Structure formats: C-alpha cells, structure tokens
Amino acid sequence: MQFYRHLGPINALTFDLDDTLYDNRPVIVRAEQTMLDWLIQLLPRPDMLRRDDWLRLKNQLVTVDPSLSHDVSEWRYETIKIGLMQLGWRLKEAELAARHGLELVLVERNKVDVPAETHRVLALLSAQLPLVGITNGNVDPQKIGLAGYFSEIYHAGRDGFAKPEADLFMKAIGHLGIPAHQILHVGDHLHSDVFGAKRHGLQACWYNDQHRQLTATNVRCLPDVEINYLAELLPLIGLSAN
C-alpha cells in the first residue's frame, strides 16, 4: 500500500467493476471472438469480414458519433448493423441481426470468474459501509453474483456518460447522501477512475494489481492511495486484512 495524500474519513465506497473486482480481459477477448465467429458464419464468404475491418469500422463510428463511447452495448449494436448494411443487408434485417449478435456477446460477457477473495472482501466491507458500483461496462452484476454487495450500481449509457465524466459519480454521491470527500472510489484505471474521482471531489484509491509504475504512465493526477490487493482496503476502515 502506498499513500500519496492523507486520507480523510471514509463513510462509503464506490467501486469500478471490470478489472477491479475481477479480470475482465479474457472475458472481452472471448466475447469478441464469439461475435466474429458468429458474423463469419452469417456471411456467405468468410473473407467478407476480417478482424481489422471490424476494428476499423468501430473506430470510424465513434469518430462520427463520440456519444457511442459512453454506451458499449449501443456501440457494438451500431457497428454490427452498419457493417452488415455496408455488405448489402437491408436496414430491418441488419437491425434484427445486430440485436441477436449483441445478445450472443452479452451471454459470453457475463461468464465472469469472480475470485473468492473479491467476495470475501466485499462481504466484509458491505457489512460496515454502503457500497455503490459505477461501471463503464455492460456486465450484469446480478448474473455474476456481485449485485448483493451494493446498494446501487450505475452503468454508463443507461445512467449517463462514462467515467471520468460527472454523471455516474454524481448519481453515486446523490444516492449515498453524504459529502463527496467522505467517499473513497476504488478503480484500476488512472484516467477514468482516479482522475474522474478526484475531479468530482471523491477520494481515490488506485487498484494496481498489475504492479504498474506511476512514472511509466500518463498520470493527470495522483491517487490518494494505491493498493495491490483488495484486502488492503479493509484496514482503511478499521478491519483486519486477514
């Protein structure tokens, strides 16, 4: 654990979900592959869509409509729909296929292996303080067994713009009904989580399980505290880490 500032009182915690409470990287790789396999089977020739084509279109769409970056499900839906239309599909057929493709991806996206240690730490924390989840992703916390630890969970897209914008942080603060500076936000991302939290008045805990060096990153502001293991949160609220 590394402190960069003196921590004030902590009367609630907000949590990022993806890559903080579980490793989301293999989940997204698997979901992307599932989608590409489905698209290849859908098309008359496998060479009609390559991975690079998909990524190029995805980037083009968010350049034209930056709001898509705040809703990953809508972004994926629009990419599938537009991609099929560029290959000659009619609008209604492309919309129907895009909805089906998104459903397939969400099934894989919710096959998350949540570590037992995450459950242990969240159970201990939630018995002492209110917890709120704020995520830029589209995971279903109920399906992966995490919903019960949180009094509320806010999702980018459905509930507002993605972190580091104010929307999800402000909703969490309003729900908790306590001053922002008494809330500690925990997340793995230095921009969306740490910078976002500090920008909107919360205390910030950088969850650095990859043991990255701050000097090797593009840091816009320092966290208040850095941890490498979730259990290091427990002493911050007066509980034993063991």
Side-chain angles (χ1 to χ4, degrees):
M1 187 184 305
Q2 174 72 44
F3 290 94
Y4 298 96
R5 298 184 190 88
H6 174 73
L7 283 176
I10 300 171
N11 292 322
L13 293 163
T14 58
F15 277 91
D16 170 56
L17 303 185
D18 294 341
D19 294 321
T20 297
L21 299 181
Y22 47 84
D23 185 0
N24 196 50
R25 288 165 285 258
V27 178
I28 296 303
V29 169
R30 187 175 65 244
E32 287 282 346
Q33 190 60 54
T34 296
M35 185 205 65
L36 289 170
D37 291 344
W38 167 76
L39 280 171
I40 289 170
Q41 292 177 0
L42 196 65
L43 300 173
R45 295 199 325 271
D47 62 346
M48 292 180 72
L49 180 71
R50 295 167 298 183
R51 185 183 298 272
D52 289 346
D53 298 328
W54 164 260
L55 294 175
R56 188 179 305 110
L57 176 59
K58 187 178 179 183
N59 291 331
Q60 288 172 346
L61 290 181
V62 80
T63 300
V64 173
D65 183 2
S67 69
L68 289 174
S69 66
H70 295 283
D71 188 333
V72 292
S73 291
E74 182 67 15
W75 190 2
R76 188 178 296 277
Y77 169 82
E78 287 295 321
T79 306
I80 297 172
K81 183 187 78 174
I82 298 299
L84 291 175
M85 290 177 67
Q86 289 181 349
L87 293 172
W89 288 51
R90 295 180 179 178
L91 174 61
K92 293 298 183 184
E93 295 170 339
E95 288 176 337
L96 184 62
R99 282 195 292 272
H100 179 60
L102 179 59
E103 289 170 1
L104 289 175
V105 169
L106 290 176
V107 169
E108 292 301 317
R109 200 264 175 272
N110 287 310
K111 293 179 180 177
V112 175
D113 181 17
V114 179
E117 178 69 351
T118 295
H119 286 288
R120 183 184 79 88
V121 171
L122 289 180
L124 291 169
L125 292 172
S126 62
Q128 298 294 317
L129 296 174
L131 310 183
V132 172
I134 52 177
T135 177
N136 288 351
N138 56 358
V139 73
D140 186 333
Q142 192 72 46
K143 289 182 178 178
I144 66 171
L146 290 179
Y149 301 115
F150 298 96
S151 60
E152 189 57 84
I153 298 175
Y154 296 105
H155 293 259
R158 183 191 73 188
D159 297 310
F161 285 164
K163 300 171 293 179
E165 299 301 324
D167 299 35
L168 305 186
F169 291 107
M170 292 301 105
K171 284 184 179 292
I173 294 166
H175 169 76
L176 290 165
I178 61 176
H181 66 267
Q182 295 178 10
I183 302 169
L184 179 66
H185 177 67
V186 183
D188 71 294
H189 202 281
L190 282 166
H191 183 64
S192 61
D193 289 309
V194 172
F195 171 71
K198 296 303 296 178
R199 181 184 184 187
H200 304 299
L202 292 77
Q203 299 183 84
C205 173
W206 182 33
Y207 176 60
N208 181 21
D209 65 325
Q210 301 299 305
H211 300 278
R212 291 171 287 164
Q213 298 296 317
L214 275 174
T215 54
T217 60
N218 184 19
V219 182
R220 296 188 66 174
C221 71
L222 289 174
D224 294 289
V225 61
E226 172 188 340
I227 62 173
N228 304 122
Y229 308 96
L230 282 181
E232 291 179 282
L233 290 169
L234 298 172
L236 298 181
I237 64 165
L239 298 175
S240 169
N242 300 318

